[in-house]
Amino acid sequence: MRENKVNTLITNSPLEAAQILLRGGLVIFPTETVYGIGASAFDEKACRKIYEVKNRPSDNPLILHVENIASLNACGEVDERAALVFRKFSPGPITGIFKKRNQHLFTAGLNTVAVRIPSNSTAREFLEACGVPVAAPSANVSGKPSLTKLEYILEEFSGKVDCILQGDDPRIGIESTVIDFTAEPPILLRPGFVDRKDLLLILPDLRGLESLSESAATAAPRSPGLKYRHYAPACKVVLKDSLKNAPKDAAQIGFETEFGSVFAISVSSNEEYMRLLYSFFVECDRRNIAEAWCQIPKEESGKEALLNRIQKAASK
């Protein structure tokens, strides 16, 4: 991480934040999924600062955020299958990986580029004001849970980035679904709010990451979330069918939390589970809780994405 403190501007002006980014600054901004920490994708020096601030491995790629389909096409070679997916699910929590069209974009040495169009209104105003693709991984220390509340952002990143743009907190709570369109057939590299069953209606031959060998998936990752431990609090994460036998000093999140727990969050759906999962993890660490028990998600949309995040958090 950068040792020198910087003066962090807190603003609710997307234009002011964009001006800072275009001068080489780092800007944290909200999206519908999680908060992102952004730099101009044409500014290699600024993009490399992201890696320093996050303590992020240098081969872990960044996702570019753009304001519309025209900008998406300017970044990557978007075929008709990808265009169909983006017309259906974008703006929103869907990321495509394409062959890089503009060689001046920072892509961590890859010949591919990951791009998405966020739906958060503050993010869209910010991107329009920037006028350039914004490279923006999740705003967190690498490996830790992504941050979904402004108070967590201020606590972690004040003095580390040039600007924090205020807006509506993320409503989804986990990172975007990622599809590799450079593969034949396409591969679902990271599950997210856009569910596999919905994608199969448009991409019936869509493969999952399970179709690749572990070495093929991680050797030169084209998407975040493949090679390194992610989403993990400091405490031990336990995934269970039921929370009934959870120790009293363990935190709980699920559909049937037990009375008397030191800290518990009850959810009614997988969608609510997604929205609250990372803040649950953050609060566990804030309270110095040793174990976080997570109930297995319901058999409904979102189960695959939730299991992906919880299992990675539980993995040592």
Side-chain angles (χ1 to χ4, degrees), residues 144 229 231-240 247 249-252 280-281 284-285 288-294 310 312-316:
K144 296 296 184 181
R229 186 180 183 222
Y231 325 120
C235 64
K236 180 181 179 181
V237 175
V238 179
L239 180 63
K240 291 286 187 177
D249 60 352
Q252 304 175 24
F280 169 72
F281 285 157
C284 285
D285 283 351
N288 295 313
I289 293 172
E291 289 190 4
W293 281 47
C294 302
I310 297 168
K312 282 186 175 289
S315 170
K316 299 297 182 182

Side-chain angles (χ1 to χ4, degrees), residues 132-203:
V132 298
V134 173
S138 57
N140 61 324
V141 175
S142 187
K144 296 296 184 181
S146 300
L147 301 182
T148 57
K149 292 186 177 181
L150 180 61
E151 64 178 293
Y152 301 154
I153 291 293
L154 295 172
E155 183 178 278
E156 181 63 48
F157 287 103
S158 293
K160 298 179 183 178
V161 299
D162 301 284
C163 178
I164 295 173
L165 175 59
Q166 300 179 93
D168 292 336
D169 277 339
R171 62 177 176 79
I172 291 175
I174 65 169
E175 302 82 359
S176 61
T177 303
V178 179
I179 302 173
D180 185 356
F181 288 103
T182 70
E184 185 56 53
I187 302 173
L188 177 63
L189 292 184
R190 184 174 71 185
F193 186 82
V194 177
D195 203 71
R196 187 194 298 232
K197 65 177 176 57
D198 297 318
L199 290 167
L200 286 170
L201 297 176
I202 301 174
L203 302 172

Side-chain angles (χ1 to χ4, degrees), residues 260-311:
S261 167
V262 64
F263 174 56
I265 293 180
S266 182
V267 298
S268 59
S269 65
N270 286 351
E271 186 171 333
E272 186 178 22
Y273 204 155
M274 288 186 209
R275 182 168 55 82
L276 297 176
L277 178 64
Y278 288 155
S279 58
F280 169 72
F281 285 157
V282 170
E283 287 297 331
C284 285
D285 283 351
R286 279 176 138 194
R287 299 164 190 240
N288 295 313
I289 293 172
E291 289 190 4
W293 281 47
C294 302
Q295 190 170 8
I296 289 178
K298 290 183 177 182
E299 292 292 337
E300 62 186 34
S301 180
K303 180 179 180 180
E304 182 180 18
L306 279 164
L307 285 177
N308 172 269
R309 303 313 193 272
I310 297 168
Q311 288 168 345

Side-chain angles (χ1 to χ4, degrees), residues 60-109:
N60 200 4
L62 307 179
I63 290 175
L64 308 192
H65 293 63
V66 298
E67 72 274 25
N68 55 39
I69 290 289
S71 297
L72 180 83
N73 281 286
C75 291
E77 298 179 10
V78 182
D79 64 18
E80 184 55 34
R81 297 170 305 174
L84 285 171
V85 169
F86 273 80
R87 281 199 291 269
K88 173 69 174 177
F89 298 110
S90 192
I94 188 81
T95 295
I97 295 177
F98 311 102
K99 291 181 181 178
K100 185 162 67 170
R101 186 185 296 278
N102 188 324
Q103 298 306 309
H104 296 291
L105 294 169
F106 179 84
T107 56

Side-chain angles (χ1 to χ4, degrees), residues 187 189 207-221 226:
I187 302 173
L189 292 184
R207 291 184 289 161
L209 191 60
E210 65 276 3
S211 67
L212 300 179
S213 67
E214 183 176 354
S215 59
T218 62
L226 297 181

